[in-house]
Amino acid sequence: MRIIIAKDYDELSKKTANLLASQITLKPNSVLGLATGSTPVGAYNDLVRIYKEGDINFTEVVTFNLDEYYGLDKENPQSYYYFMMENLFKHVNINKHNIHIPNGRAKDIELECIEYENKIKQAGGIDLQLLGIGRNGHIGFNEPDVKFLDEDTIEANSRFFTALDEVPRKAISMGIKTIMHSRKIILLASGEEKAETINSMINGKITPELPASVLQLHPDVVVLLDEKAACKL
Ligand code: F6R
């Protein structure tokens, strides 16, 4: 794992956007794995800025998002589809046929997951996967030892909803194996509330209780932290 420590959230966002932009420059038809949540918002803003300055082109870029809440329509402002449109896709010249986000309203979830995996394979696999990390060490919605969303995740994500019981209890997520098959991974963390988890992920044992710890086994991971998230290292 390569660890890069940025001064603060703004610097973390700029560095991430620059890495994503370099990936697109080096390989214009890159397959990007993308994350939602608060952490990558700044990076997406900066990536849009780089695009508007004319330095990158999304026409051949293909994207696969990590996850989607189960039961939410695309139009729901809390859906990850909506998040991606607002924060990135509607601002750049990406071909809408190249955007992939799990369908939270799929009737047959098993089939949706199989087809999603197949599409990733058909696209040639993920070149660069962007990840955030939950306070409990989840990546995507791969929770410690459980199949439903963890109580801590529901509590953390309730900040985007008006009430705790509005947060969906289930999600469709890219699995750990698919994430591990990505050629490169960039994991982002910002803020002191992630510091303990980041330290365990990097220096602790590899355990399903902290799903992100499996990244220790991946050959090309960059962990991009701000100083607060790095303060327990
Ligand atoms: C989002 C995702 C989640 C988040 C994680 C951190 O697509 O897969 O694993 O990356 O919950 O979320 P934030 O960035 O809001 O702290």
Side-chain angles (χ1 to χ4, degrees):
M1 278 183 182
R2 267 175 295 168
I3 298 158
I4 299 173
I5 301 175
K7 183 165 58 45
D8 54 21
Y9 180 73
D10 285 350
E11 196 182 297
L12 170 102
S13 301
K14 278 205 188 88
K15 285 189 189 306
T16 308
N18 287 338
L19 289 172
L20 290 168
S22 311
Q23 174 68 37
I24 296 170
T25 303
L26 290 170
K27 189 179 178 209
N29 61 348
S30 285
V31 179
L32 302 180
L34 298 176
T36 59
S38 305
T39 317
V41 170
Y44 292 149
N45 286 340
D46 280 319
L47 196 59
V48 170
R49 178 187 45 78
I50 296 171
Y51 164 75
K52 288 192 170 151
E53 286 165 1
D55 291 338
I56 46 170
N57 182 351
F58 281 81
T59 43
E60 291 178 67
V61 171
V62 177
T63 64
F64 285 90
N65 262 78
L66 278 168
D67 41 22
E68 178 59 282
Y69 284 121
Y70 181 60
L72 294 193
D73 286 321
K74 285 177 175 178
E75 295 74 29
N76 188 314
Q78 261 75 41
S79 75
Y80 287 166
Y81 180 92
Y82 193 93
F83 173 102
M84 288 308 301
M85 288 297 155
E86 290 302 306
N87 286 291
L88 181 62
F89 296 146
K90 77 176 190 190
H91 306 288
V92 298
N93 65 339
I94 191 161
N95 177 340
K96 67 177 188 317
H97 300 294
N98 289 346
I99 296 172
H100 304 89
I101 301 177
N103 176 6
R105 297 290 272 174
K107 286 208 177 64
D108 185 338
I109 305 190
E110 293 278 322
L111 187 65
E112 172 67 16
C113 294
I114 292 167
E115 285 179 357
Y116 202 69
E117 292 286 330
N118 284 341
K119 282 183 200 154
I120 294 175
K121 282 192 196 117
Q122 280 158 16
I126 293 170
D127 291 307
L128 175 60
Q129 175 68 56
L130 190 63
L131 295 176
I133 182 168
R135 294 187 298 211
N136 61 4
H138 72 214
I139 44 177
F141 270 134
N142 297 284
E143 301 283 27
D145 284 337
V146 292
K147 281 198 178 151
F148 285 86
L149 297 189
D150 193 85
E151 281 308 313
D152 189 64
T153 303
I154 291 169
E155 202 267 313
N157 289 5
S158 67
R159 66 193 191 278
F160 302 114
F161 293 79
T162 45
L164 194 65
D165 60 8
E166 280 180 18
V167 186
R169 265 50 183 170
K170 287 190 191 173
I172 301 177
S173 178
M174 213 184 266
I176 293 280
K177 194 171 158 195
T178 310
I179 294 172
M180 288 297 281
H181 275 138
S182 312
R183 293 180 190 93
K184 290 183 202 158
I185 294 177
I186 300 177
L187 181 138
L188 306 179
S190 161
E192 215 173 326
E193 65 164 16
K194 302 281 173 74
E196 201 72 66
T197 312
I198 287 295
N199 183 40
S200 308
M201 174 189 90
I202 295 171
N203 296 315
K205 62 177 187 336
I206 299 169
T207 163
E209 281 156 34
L210 201 136
S213 60
V214 73
L215 298 176
Q216 290 178 25
L217 301 174
H218 192 282
D220 192 352
V221 179
V222 172
V223 181
L224 239 168
L225 308 170
D226 62 12
E227 281 179 3
K228 287 185 176 155
C231 72
K232 297 267 163 68
L233 288 177

